[in-house]
Amino acid sequence: MYGFINLCVKALVTEKFGDAAWIKIRKKAKVDDSFLSYEGYDDDVTIRLVKAASEVASLDVETILETFGEYFFTFCQRSGYDEMLRTLGGNLRSFLENLDSLHSYLCFSYKHMDAPSFRCERAEDDSLILHYYSSRQGLHPMVVGIVRAIAREFFETEVKMHIIDQTYENERNGKKEHVVFSILQKKIEQKNLDEGPPMFVAQTRKHSEPLLNKEDVEQVMKNLENMKEQGKPLGKRRSLAQIKPLAAISNLYGGFTPSYPNKFWMNQKVFCDNFPYHIVFDKDMKVKQSGIHIQRIVPRLRNFDAKLNVFFNLIHPQINWSLESMSKFINQLFILETKKSMVAPEWEGRPMLQLRGQMVWMEEFECMVYLCSPRLASLKEMEDRGLHLSDIPLHDVTRDLILFNQQRLAEMELGKQLEIKKEELRKTMEQLEAEKKRTDMLLHSMLPRQVADQLRDGKRVEAGEYAQVTILFSDIVSFTSICSQSKPIDIVNMLNSLYVKFDKLTSVHDVYKVETIGDAYMVVGGLPVPVKTHAERIANMALGMMITSVEVSSPVTGDPIGIRVGIHCGPALAGVVGEKMPRYCLFGDSVNTASRMESHGMAGKIHLSSDAFSLLDGKGFHIVERGDIIVKGKGSMTTYFLEGNENATEDEILGRGIQRTSRDSGITDSDDSRRSTPEKSDMMKYSPTRSMNAGGDNYTHDKDDIIPMYYPDNENLRQGEGDRVKPVFSRSTTSDSRSTTPVSSGHQASGHNSGNGNNSKTCSIL
């Protein structure tokens, strides 16, 4: 099938179900999204798309094909074929009978098109019988959708179609699917119209099918003649509404009765000279007469009584050479092609000539006349066959069609080239977007997204003061000893395995990773975009670090490594330092205090300063007091250990489970923490017997696998996503302006959606 069909499938899916559904169907069908209208594709591509759509939509294939058939008609209208379709016929039967002619015309554009064939007849119950022939099996439900759409759009009728027979006929070219439909039509009721239903094309708003077809009109005329012969009165004076149908019948015949001469005023020579492309043959397929140009191309045709199939191949319709088969398709376009063994010697090496025309049965002579003309699409095809415009009679519109189609083919070629360039541009844009994402990911790994976007836009990033942030430091216990007893590659693998897991947690809790130096890992919450829950985010981050660290083993002993974590809350100054390799750095005493909390901590413990404790107290965290200790450079400090979160599960803290929003949890932005439920009384214990992975962990940080944890200010941050590029953290220059700087805890910026896992257990590292 041509790409035009596949583009129609894509348009249907994207219009009805959205781009995401099309991507899912395309991936399931394993096809590329790069269809060109005039490019041929294997039928299997379309079949796979239809089956994939059936699976995704949970509908049977027959329903999908019917829906596609209806949409295909609309798609053709939008693609510029509307006027062509509207002029095919004045009623549904004539429309369907002329579809083969339309397909023959479209073959000039789609040279390898294998189109179906249609034939109509009238049943005894006045229903329409449609014969559908196709070399493709199983696509007949499309016909139902197409006919239904045509009847509704052009003729304002509803149709009911039933399959009354379905066979495989052994035609000349092999097996073909032959489906016979019964079509019942019902006029759609129209409101606000004149008295009585519309009778003919001119009386309808959309040029719909007349209620009276030709057979009905003939029957009415016979009834009127019978009444006149019997002397019956035609009735009293009739209303205008009753006269209109009779006037419409008169208009159908043009208001006159044709007359025919007593004899044929043309001899055989004049007829054969002026109609040079025609063939007359009898019921035994023996040639009785032919035009002079056909005789010139096929000289043996001058010997009459030879069978027609000796000289020509029947290209369309693809049926057997028999009068019975031809009678079935008497209203169809017939295409014949000369056989190489029968053409004149000068035709050797040239493409064979094809003739297109109509078969007309002459009852009086019991012969069939084939009125035809050369089937040529362009001047080049005419030149290849050694023909000239003078070889085509002046009265034959084929001359004008060739000249017209020559220009049209040039326009089509230009359109095809534009379509190819458009597809190349689309692929280039996709590649560019993929490269942009990779460079953005690299840039955002060095700088916060908000800062990186401002630098990329050429804006100057001012250093900013933050009144309250939470800083975390961690290191590996006995790291120096491990380094002295291990190979460098083992150390690199161990650190990479550990830091990949930590990096994932920064995305789960939306905190900023400042840097790593050796075994030291530094994270901060509350900048560059201030948030109210910076302390809770860092606390949950620390709990997650403790859980994941036991999955990494020491290259020396094979046991889980131990880490120390220190957390402190306080003011800080942040800004971009350097030009060649710019880094977003933190400065201030709070950084030193957080580092002291880590260095004075204990293995497997999360050490909190009193400032961090004051922000976490009453938020559902399990905290125990360590007591007063002497801190280098700080003197005596009261510190604490964070041991768990009674309001969060391990899945939530690690970014696993089902994503949750405030609507799901019933928590509003004013809530500082989620309330405990009776199910959370059983705390999840931390155990060193968890499954471990060696230092060479192959885990990759895929953001698609991350479920961001819910925080009350997440959705507020999402609303401020459009303000990211604004310089929201410039340093104040006067004391009066300090109160208006963005260090205010009420400032909103972008963030992640919340995440929620199984709430039956709480998280603890006890």
Side-chain angles (χ1 to χ4, degrees):
M1 296 186 186
Y2 276 89
F4 184 83
I5 303 294
N6 297 326
L7 288 173
C8 180
V9 176
K10 177 181 178 181
L12 169 62
V13 174
T14 54
E15 184 174 313
K16 301 291 184 182
F17 307 104
D19 293 333
W22 167 247
I23 294 174
K24 188 175 181 180
I25 290 172
R26 180 177 59 80
K27 289 182 177 179
K28 197 174 190 67
K30 298 179 180 179
V31 299
D32 295 329
D33 189 8
S34 57
F35 300 119
L36 301 177
S37 296
Y38 299 102
E39 191 76 21
Y41 298 89
D42 194 279
D43 289 357
D44 185 58
V45 173
T46 308
I47 299 300
R48 293 205 310 268
L49 286 173
V50 171
K51 289 182 177 178
S54 173
E55 295 177 10
V56 172
S58 299
L59 297 172
D60 58 90
V61 174
E62 183 174 336
T63 303
I64 293 293
L65 287 173
E66 283 190 22
T67 304
F68 173 70
E70 289 196 45
Y71 187 82
F72 180 70
F73 171 73
T74 304
F75 188 74
C76 290
Q77 286 184 295
R78 296 176 183 174
S79 302
Y81 295 98
D82 182 55
E83 292 184 359
M84 184 184 300
L85 291 171
R86 288 184 182 275
T87 56
L88 277 186
N91 55 52
L92 185 59
R93 177 176 180 176
S94 60
F95 184 98
L96 295 174
E97 287 178 340
N98 281 289
L99 278 177
D100 280 16
S101 298
L102 175 63
H103 291 155
S104 177
Y105 168 76
L106 292 177
C107 283
F108 292 135
S109 304
Y110 304 92
K111 294 185 180 298
H112 303 290
M113 182 173 68
D114 183 12
S117 184
F118 298 89
R119 177 170 62 88
C120 294
E121 58 186 21
R122 184 69 65 176
E124 294 180 358
D125 60 353
D126 205 35
S127 64
L128 187 63
I129 303 299
L130 174 63
H131 295 262
Y132 163 75
Y133 300 86
S134 176
S135 59
R136 299 181 177 92
Q137 182 179 352
L139 298 184
H140 59 272
M142 283 181 56
V143 179
V144 178
I146 293 174
V147 173
R148 186 185 298 146
I150 291 170
R152 183 172 57 249
E153 176 69 17
F154 287 167
F155 310 117
E156 293 184 347
T157 59
E158 291 289 346
V159 298
K160 291 184 179 179
M161 298 182 63
H162 304 282
I163 296 177
I164 59 178
D165 191 19
Q166 184 174 1
T167 59
Y168 289 92
E169 297 187 352
N170 239 346
E171 298 291 357
R172 176 177 49 81
N173 66 328
K175 286 187 176 181
K176 297 194 62 158
E177 186 177 46
H178 177 200
V179 183
V180 183
F181 295 96
S182 172
I183 303 177
L184 295 175
Q185 301 181 66
K186 181 181 178 181
K187 192 70 177 178
I188 299 176
E189 295 183 2
Q190 299 290 338
K191 298 180 179 180
N192 301 325
L193 295 179
D194 297 336
E195 290 185 3
M199 293 295 174
F200 288 92
V201 173
Q203 292 176 290
T204 59
R205 293 179 298 175
K206 297 169 67 177
H207 300 286
S208 64
E209 177 185 7
L211 288 180
L212 300 177
N213 52 42
K214 185 175 180 180
E215 290 81 357
D216 297 329
V217 172
E218 291 175 349
Q219 186 61 43
V220 171
M221 296 294 290
K222 288 180 181 180
N223 292 340
L224 291 175
E225 291 294 332
N226 292 336
M227 292 175 65
K228 188 181 296 184
E229 291 176 0
Q230 296 173 8
K232 293 182 180 181
L234 297 180
K236 299 179 181 179
R237 182 178 179 85
R238 299 178 181 270
S239 64
L240 180 62
Q242 293 173 313
I243 294 175
K244 280 184 177 180
L246 297 177
I249 293 174
S250 175
N251 290 336
L252 181 68
Y253 285 99
F256 76 98
T257 301
S259 62
Y260 302 97
N262 295 325
K263 67 175 183 177
F264 187 56
W265 293 90
M266 184 182 294
N267 59 36
Q268 294 90 330
K269 182 180 183 304
V270 174
F271 187 87
C272 292
D273 287 345
N274 290 278
F275 294 91
Y277 297 98
H278 79 275
I279 303 173
V280 178
F281 56 94
D282 62 12
K283 59 184 179 181
D284 296 324
M285 310 302 293
K286 292 181 179 180
V287 178
K288 298 297 182 182
Q289 179 179 313
S290 60
I292 60 171
H293 284 353
I294 296 181
Q295 295 179 21
R296 179 168 60 86
I297 299 170
V298 187
R300 297 186 187 181
L301 268 177
R302 289 175 290 184
N303 301 323
F304 299 130
D305 286 340
K307 289 195 173 183
L308 185 63
N309 57 333
V310 174
F311 306 101
F312 296 95
N313 292 319
L314 182 55
I315 304 300
H316 183 272
Q318 295 176 343
I319 57 177
N320 295 321
W321 280 105
S322 68
L323 197 63
E324 181 183 359
S325 297
M326 290 183 174
S327 299
K328 291 181 181 179
F329 294 86
I330 195 68
N331 293 321
Q332 305 299 316
L333 183 73
F334 280 75
I335 300 176
L336 305 184
E337 184 180 73
T338 55
K339 291 185 176 181
K340 286 187 177 182
S341 59
M342 294 296 166
V343 295
E346 59 267 20
W347 273 79
E348 292 183 5
R350 299 179 185 174
M352 292 296 98
L353 178 66
Q354 289 186 351
L355 302 173
R356 61 189 297 272
Q358 177 185 6
M359 296 287 183
V360 179
W361 175 250
M362 299 181 293
E363 186 69 31
E364 182 179 356
F365 301 101
E366 292 188 347
C367 288
M368 188 83 76
V369 58
Y370 179 47
L371 302 172
C372 58
S373 58
R375 186 172 184 259
L376 301 169
S378 64
L379 295 175
K380 186 178 185 307
E381 291 186 9
M382 178 180 286
E383 183 181 0
D384 291 342
R385 289 159 178 78
L387 296 178
H388 303 85
L389 285 175
S390 58
D391 294 325
I392 302 175
L394 290 173
H395 61 78
D396 194 338
V397 295
T398 304
R399 297 164 62 105
D400 299 325
L401 288 177
I402 292 173
L403 296 175
F404 171 77
N405 199 52
Q406 183 69 26
Q407 180 180 357
R408 181 175 171 276
L409 289 174
E411 294 174 353
M412 282 179 53
E413 183 62 26
L414 179 60
K416 183 178 179 180
Q417 293 299 323
L418 289 175
E419 196 174 21
I420 293 174
K421 293 298 181 183
K422 178 183 176 182
E423 181 61 24
E424 291 177 354
L425 181 61
R426 185 187 67 82
K427 290 182 178 180
T428 303
M429 291 297 295
E430 287 181 353
Q431 295 173 358
L432 181 62
E433 185 64 25
E435 288 297 327
K436 181 177 180 296
K437 287 182 179 179
R438 282 193 285 267
T439 55
D440 284 349
M441 186 167 54
L442 179 61
L443 182 60
H444 295 156
S445 66
M446 300 173 59
L447 298 169
R449 181 183 299 272
Q450 297 84 353
V451 175
D453 290 345
Q454 291 188 78
L455 290 175
R456 187 169 50 195
D457 293 340
K459 299 179 181 179
R460 186 168 179 266
V461 180
E462 300 287 348
E465 291 181 354
Y466 295 85
Q468 192 73 276
V469 297
T470 302
I471 303 170
L472 176 150
F473 276 94
S474 75
D475 73 346
I476 298 175
V477 178
S478 304
F479 181 69
T480 304
S481 175
I482 294 174
C483 290
S484 64
Q485 302 177 56
S486 304
K487 297 179 181 179
I489 188 63
D490 293 334
I491 301 299
V492 171
N493 289 337
M494 179 188 69
L495 291 177
N496 179 66
S497 175
L498 182 65
Y499 290 165
V500 163
K501 298 178 185 298
F502 289 176
D503 290 346
K504 177 182 177 181
L505 292 172
T506 62
S507 297
V508 173
H509 303 286
D510 197 14
V511 293
Y512 175 59
K513 172 186 173 182
V514 181
E515 61 182 349
T516 57
I517 302 176
D519 66 327
Y521 194 92
M522 180 181 179
V523 183
V524 62
L527 63 79
V529 178
V531 291
K532 293 181 180 179
T533 57
H534 56 86
E536 293 96 310
R537 293 171 187 266
I538 291 296
N540 287 325
M541 168 82 182
L543 292 172
M545 294 170 69
M546 284 294 177
I547 295 172
T548 57
S549 64
V550 299
E551 298 174 0
V552 181
S553 60
S554 168
V556 177
T557 63
D559 296 329
I561 63 172
I563 64 171
R564 287 187 297 261
V565 177
I567 299 175
H568 174 67
C569 298
L573 179 70
V576 178
V577 177
E579 291 184 355
K580 190 170 184 179
M581 284 190 62
R583 300 295 298 176
Y584 190 70
C585 299
L586 266 68
F587 304 94
D589 187 60
S590 297
V591 178
N592 296 329
T593 304
S595 178
R596 293 287 184 263
M597 291 297 100
E598 174 264 314
S599 60
H600 288 71
M602 298 174 62
K605 294 289 187 179
I606 302 173
H607 198 198
L608 304 179
S609 68
S610 57
D611 292 328
F613 168 77
S614 64
L615 289 180
L616 296 175
D617 190 26
K619 302 291 181 64
F621 290 94
H622 184 64
I623 303 174
V624 296
E625 183 177 349
R626 181 183 184 184
D628 294 336
I629 63 171
I630 302 299
V631 178
K632 181 180 179 181
K634 297 293 180 180
S636 178
M637 292 182 65
T638 302
T639 59
Y640 303 83
F641 287 129
L642 172 64
E643 296 186 344
N645 185 346
E646 297 179 357
N647 291 338
T649 66
E650 180 177 323
D651 283 345
E652 287 180 299
I653 288 178
L654 297 182
R656 302 190 298 251
I658 302 174
Q659 193 170 11
R660 186 167 68 128
T661 64
S662 61
R663 294 186 185 90
D664 301 325
S665 60
I667 297 175
T668 62
D669 291 342
S670 60
D671 294 330
D672 291 331
S673 65
R674 286 165 289 179
R675 297 178 177 85
S676 299
T677 59
E679 299 93 316
K680 294 182 179 178
S681 58
D682 184 16
M683 300 180 65
M684 181 175 292
K685 302 295 183 180
Y686 152 77
S687 172
T689 60
R690 290 177 184 269
S691 59
M692 296 177 295
N693 204 343
D697 191 356
N698 292 326
Y699 174 83
T700 57
H701 184 194
D702 186 354
K703 289 192 175 182
D704 293 337
D705 298 333
I706 295 173
I707 306 297
M709 187 171 176
Y710 171 79
Y711 291 96
D713 49 8
N714 275 1
E715 294 181 2
N716 288 340
L717 296 178
R718 177 176 290 278
Q719 296 173 4
E721 189 169 332
D723 299 331
R724 281 182 170 178
V725 297
K726 297 180 180 179
V728 295
F729 44 88
S730 59
R731 181 176 180 179
S732 59
T733 56
T734 63
S735 59
D736 294 337
S737 63
R738 288 182 183 271
S739 61
T740 61
T741 57
V743 298
S744 167
S745 60
H747 179 76
Q748 298 177 356
S750 62
H752 293 285
N753 284 334
S754 61
N756 185 21
N758 181 4
N759 289 334
S760 62
K761 294 185 178 181
T762 58
C763 182
S764 173
I765 58 169
L766 283 174

